[in-house]
Amino acid sequence: MGNCLTISDPSPEDVSNKVLKALPVETAFKFPSPLPTFTQSSVFAKGTIDLGGLEVSQVSTFNKVWSTYEGGPDNLGATFFEPSSIPSGFSILGYYAQPNNRKLFGWVLTARDLSSNTLKPPIDYTLVGTTESLKIKQDGTGYFWQPVPPDGYQAVGLIVTNTSQKPALDKLRCVRSDLTEQCETDTWIWGSNGVNVSILRPTTRGTQATGVSVGTFTYQTQNSSPPSLSCLKNTKFDFSTMPNGSQIKKLFETYSPLIYFHPDEEYLPSSVNWYFSNGALLYKKGEESKPIPIEPNGTNLPQGESNDGSYWLDLPIDKNSKERVKKGDIQNTNVYLHIKPMLGSTFTDIAIWIFYPFNGPARAKVKFVNLPLGRIGEHIGDWEHATLRISNFTGELWRLFLSQHSGGVWIEASDLEFQSGNKPVAYASLHGHAMYPKPGLVLQGDDGIGIRNDTAKGKNVIDTGLGYEVIAAEEPPWVDYLRKWGPKIDYNVDDEVRAVAKILPGALKKAFVKFVKKIPDEVFGEDGPTGPKLKSNWAGDEN
């Protein structure tokens, strides 16, 4: 590809720098359409889950306790809530908090004893923090209290008050230690002057992990240890709370994402079967002159073993066929669903895998200049994915994970764009296919220099709910193909960089060369990816 220089178009919104306004804490998020309903004969979405002698219910109604209006995401502060409308017989385990840069949307678990002595009130409270000395806009002073559990019990949440008086001992319950697990910080909620508040999640997560998120938070200062808090444990880990086949179908048809492609996108997705049927080839090390056509469902691909470099896939040899297959076929696109229990089987993850025959070259932004990066970023075969996280208590969509290069990000349902009812919208970046929740430019770099991730609402869009297939560990056969989906082609990176840098003026040239040294290794070289089964999130969490 020849190098050219263009002046940056200032019109696309830089979504990474978007500034949000604080929302009234009473403004609750509502899905655009009614949620799906399920028969109460099913354990899934019945409202409560038995963790093994401890029944828990997900509560999403709250009374405001205290707010601050500075610090945290977008420097808009955070609000702290007491759960309300507690089901009869259930007890509070901890309070809820969220940033002020989005509508009220979240939950905490409440609990009821089904056996004996799974719950006990604390014997005291310890004041772990107060905002009295913080020079911030706030509704009076916030006080953060850690329950002191009886011997053999653990606290799983904090209480917040707007007075210095200790909470009543019967305000919440601690949980018997054998029903708890270790936890860690997850999403950042708020911080100011060395204080940080974050949501908690189980430390060990995955399809076989038993840790359960309570929805509570921790409070930590620079000069003190974090409160001793735990998550819950599902000791009745039998997957009975998971949706059945018909319920999965209903859930996916309700929440299946719409994915928009950039108007200039040349390299669109396809189904795996289309790719195989249109000339994709299997190569074997040592027999490169005798590539083998691949059966439509991958039945002749080597199965299992390991990614040892013995085999790889490639595009058709014929030049015209190669160029045609590289562009994919959006009309023959299927997505592939992997269904996973998560967070002790209190949530269902629907991982949505999307295949692209080709990943196009990257583009860079150097201050006010845009320029293509030659072959940098190209590779044959590209697997991207999004994951719906759905509550097994209610059938409600909680979060959407969007893959972005070697990582990705969770987006709360309240921060998503929806169309056609409750279908979330995602935007695939030009050539790289990383997914973002809003159109515009996200710059992978800093100080105005980096790799461009351009997204926009072009005419090409896929409704993932119109063409999908549920996959498992060994079905269809291509899932258990554990080698590369494209060849490794080495080239001289320095030559590519020099070809780009030579058209830049002196100061920009130095800035660009400095930036290139920070580009992740996976961006360089043409190296095909492995398939979904070898990704860490196949049996684990997203991050």
Side-chain angles (χ1 to χ4, degrees):
M1 177 180 290
N3 292 307
C4 62
L5 180 148
T6 60
I7 303 300
S8 295
D9 180 358
S11 60
E13 177 188 19
D14 184 342
V15 297
S16 64
N17 294 324
K18 186 175 182 180
V19 177
L20 301 174
K21 294 182 179 180
L23 294 160
V25 293
E26 296 80 8
T27 304
F29 167 76
K30 293 183 179 179
F31 285 91
S33 296
L35 297 178
T37 56
F38 302 94
T39 59
Q40 287 304 302
S41 60
S42 169
V43 176
F44 174 75
K46 79 167 190 176
T48 63
I49 291 176
D50 179 6
L51 301 181
L54 182 68
E55 186 178 22
V56 290
S57 175
Q58 201 176 66
V59 171
S60 298
T61 54
F62 305 102
N63 293 323
K64 173 188 168 183
V65 176
W66 175 79
S67 287
T68 174
Y69 303 103
E70 290 182 287
D74 299 308
N75 196 33
L76 295 176
T79 300
F80 297 78
F81 299 90
E82 177 183 358
S84 63
S85 303
I86 309 301
S88 177
F90 285 74
S91 300
I92 292 174
L93 300 176
Y95 280 19
Y96 173 74
Q98 73 165 57
N100 291 336
N101 66 345
R102 60 180 174 88
K103 293 182 178 181
L104 177 59
F105 178 72
W107 52 269
V108 289
L109 297 186
T110 59
R112 179 173 68 171
D113 188 356
L114 290 182
S115 54
S116 61
N117 297 323
T118 59
L119 298 171
K120 280 189 177 181
I123 59 174
D124 199 2
Y125 291 97
T126 300
L127 183 66
V128 295
T130 173
T131 63
E132 185 175 12
S133 63
L134 298 183
K135 306 301 182 184
I136 56 174
K137 296 177 184 177
Q138 54 182 320
D139 288 339
T141 300
Y143 299 85
F144 295 78
W145 304 92
Q146 178 184 356
V148 178
D151 288 344
Y153 289 77
Q154 297 289 330
V156 297
L158 302 180
I159 280 184
V160 180
T161 63
N162 53 17
T163 73
S164 59
Q165 184 177 354
K166 283 186 180 182
L169 293 179
D170 64 354
K171 190 69 174 178
L172 100 175
R173 295 294 184 270
C174 301
V175 181
R176 204 172 65 208
S177 297
D178 62 302
L179 294 170
T180 66
E181 283 197 3
Q182 185 177 356
C183 60
E184 65 181 21
T185 57
D186 184 10
T187 309
W188 183 55
I189 295 174
W190 175 70
S192 179
N193 298 301
V195 173
N196 281 292
V197 174
S198 300
I199 288 285
L200 291 168
R201 66 181 181 182
T203 302
T204 302
R205 300 177 307 284
T207 57
Q208 301 297 318
T210 57
V212 173
S213 287
V214 185
T216 53
F217 57 87
T218 187
Y219 177 102
Q220 187 172 3
T221 64
Q222 286 180 331
N223 302 318
S224 65
S225 300
S228 178
L229 297 172
S230 299
C231 288
L232 294 178
K233 180 178 182 179
N234 188 353
T235 62
K236 187 184 176 183
F237 194 55
D238 57 6
F239 307 114
S240 61
T241 58
M242 294 290 289
N244 59 31
S246 63
Q247 291 167 337
I248 289 169
K249 182 175 185 292
K250 192 172 187 179
L251 288 168
F252 192 62
E253 289 174 353
T254 300
Y255 300 124
S256 50
L258 301 171
I259 301 174
Y260 281 92
F261 299 94
H262 193 279
D264 299 331
E265 183 60 74
E266 306 160 73
Y267 307 112
L268 295 165
S270 74
S271 70
V272 170
N273 288 32
W274 180 90
Y275 182 57
F276 292 165
S277 300
N278 280 269
L281 297 168
L282 171 67
Y283 282 79
K284 183 177 181 180
K285 189 174 182 179
E287 300 179 13
E288 289 85 351
S289 62
K290 299 183 291 184
I292 301 170
I294 305 168
E295 295 296 327
N297 212 24
T299 53
N300 63 332
L301 291 174
Q303 299 288 289
E305 298 179 355
S306 65
N307 179 28
D308 54 8
S310 297
Y311 296 89
W312 61 90
L313 307 187
D314 204 344
L315 296 164
I317 295 173
D318 175 73
K319 183 178 180 180
N320 291 334
S321 297
K322 178 182 291 188
E323 291 304 312
R324 179 177 63 83
V325 171
K326 281 170 66 172
K327 297 182 184 301
D329 188 336
I330 199 167
Q331 301 304 320
N332 281 287
T333 294
N334 250 20
V335 300
Y336 303 96
L337 310 185
H338 181 217
I339 315 300
K340 305 186 296 178
M342 197 55 61
L343 300 176
S345 199
T346 57
F347 283 84
T348 294
D349 276 11
I350 302 180
I352 307 156
W353 289 94
I354 306 160
F355 177 71
Y356 298 80
F358 191 74
N359 191 90
R363 297 192 307 154
K365 181 176 186 288
V366 184
K367 301 297 185 180
F368 55 86
V369 176
N370 295 325
L371 63 165
L373 293 181
R375 297 171 64 183
I376 294 174
E378 285 188 353
H379 58 81
I380 294 166
D382 185 24
W383 280 104
E384 302 289 347
H385 77 281
T387 298
L388 301 165
R389 180 157 288 177
I390 296 168
S391 168
N392 288 350
F393 293 92
T394 62
E396 180 181 74
L397 175 66
W398 178 35
R399 286 174 163 182
L400 174 68
F401 181 85
L402 298 176
S403 64
Q404 297 168 354
H405 306 294
S406 59
V409 63
W410 282 109
I411 309 295
E412 305 288 333
S414 57
D415 292 334
L416 292 167
E417 174 188 350
F418 290 92
Q419 291 182 13
S420 304
N422 294 332
K423 291 177 177 287
V425 175
Y427 297 85
S429 65
L430 178 63
H431 288 183
H433 309 139
M435 287 190 280
Y436 297 89
K438 306 291 183 186
L441 166 64
V442 173
L443 196 64
Q444 195 177 351
D446 53 50
D447 195 28
I449 302 173
I451 292 178
R452 294 184 65 100
N453 290 277
D454 291 281
T455 59
K457 189 174 287 186
K459 65 179 181 180
N460 285 316
V461 58
I462 56 172
D463 180 343
T464 56
L466 296 182
Y468 65 91
E469 179 182 351
V470 177
I471 59 175
E474 297 177 357
E475 291 294 335
W478 57 260
V479 174
D480 204 34
Y481 166 72
L482 304 184
R483 273 77 172 198
K484 296 280 189 179
W485 283 69
K488 180 174 178 59
I489 305 173
D490 292 316
Y491 56 83
N492 192 316
V493 174
D494 291 338
D495 288 347
E496 297 289 325
V497 171
R498 278 194 292 267
V500 174
K502 70 180 182 181
I503 62 175
L504 290 170
L508 294 186
K509 181 181 297 186
K510 290 181 180 179
F512 171 71
V513 171
K514 183 179 179 181
F515 155 71
V516 167
K517 294 178 181 178
K518 300 179 182 178
I519 295 177
D521 289 342
E522 65 265 18
V523 175
F524 295 116
E526 296 185 12
D527 192 7
T530 52
K533 190 177 175 180
L534 281 186
K535 307 302 184 186
S536 60
N537 66 320
W538 179 265
D541 200 358
E542 294 290 356
N543 54 22

